[in-house]
Amino acid sequence: MNISIIGTGYVGLVTGIALAHAGHHVICVGRNRDKVGSINAGKTPFFEPGLDTLLRRVIAQKRFTASVDFLRSVTASDTTIIAVGTPTVDGSIDLTQVKDAVILVGEALFKKRSYHVVAIKSTVVPGTTESVVWPILVDASGKSAKEMGLCMNPEFLREGNAVEDALHPDRIVIGRRDSKSARVYAKL
C-alpha cells in the first residue's frame, strides 16, 4: 500500500519507518527542508534506539522517503496518516497543526479521483475526528463519504521503546467513520 504521513516528528517518523519495514511504500511529509534532507540521508532528528538503522534499511529498500511536497505525496498515496503536534495550551489541546494538515490533505484530495482514507494519529480528544476533522476535510476536498474515508488510530509509543512498540504493538485501535474506511485502513 502507498502511504503518506503528514508529520516528521516522533509519531509520524516512527510510524512511517515501521510501516515501510512492514512492506508498504511510505512518504513522510514535513515543512522543514533541512529536516527532510537529514531524514532522507538516513539520520533521524531525535534519538530512538534502533531507529536510524531501520531508517537506513527502508531507504535502501526504496520503501521510504521524506518530502516537503504535500500535494504530490498525498495524491501518490492510498492512505494519509496525520501525525502532527497537538500541544497543550492553557490546559487545552491546540488543534492548529491538525486543522492546517487536514486543509492541505483536503486540497490535495480535491485533485485525486480514487478513494482515499485519511487517519488521525495525532493526540485528540474523543469526537474531534468527527466534529472538527471531517467538516474541514469535506470542505477542503469537495468530496463525499463515498469518495473518501476517515479513521482514528491512536498511538501507544513509549520513548526508548518506540521501535519495538511500532513493530510489535500490544494493541491496535482503529476508530472509523464508516466500515469501508476501516477495511481499507486495517490493511496497514
Side-chain angles (χ1 to χ4, degrees), residues 46-154:
F46 51 85
F47 177 73
E48 182 62 39
L51 193 60
D52 279 350
T53 301
L54 197 56
L55 172 61
R56 288 189 292 275
R57 185 178 308 147
V58 295
I59 288 172
Q61 294 167 339
K62 299 190 184 316
R63 288 198 303 242
F64 181 91
T65 190
S67 177
V68 294
D69 190 339
F70 284 81
L71 176 63
R72 187 172 180 189
S73 300
V74 172
T75 57
S77 64
D78 308 302
T79 299
T80 298
I81 298 170
I82 296 177
V84 296
T86 52
T88 303
V89 177
D90 297 327
S92 300
I93 293 177
D94 180 356
L95 295 176
T96 302
Q97 291 180 58
V98 171
K99 291 176 182 179
D100 290 347
V102 172
I103 290 169
L104 289 170
V105 169
E107 290 171 350
L109 292 180
F110 180 79
K111 300 175 185 302
K112 190 170 180 189
R113 299 291 171 239
S114 58
Y115 185 80
H116 195 94
V117 173
V118 177
I120 303 299
K121 201 157 190 67
S122 299
T123 302
V124 297
V125 297
T128 302
T129 306
E130 182 69 25
S131 66
V132 176
V133 172
W134 182 250
I136 294 170
L137 191 59
V138 168
D139 186 55
S141 70
K143 302 233 182 266
S144 70
K146 291 181 181 179
E147 300 168 290
M148 66 181 174
L150 181 63
C151 291
M152 173 63 189
N153 179 219

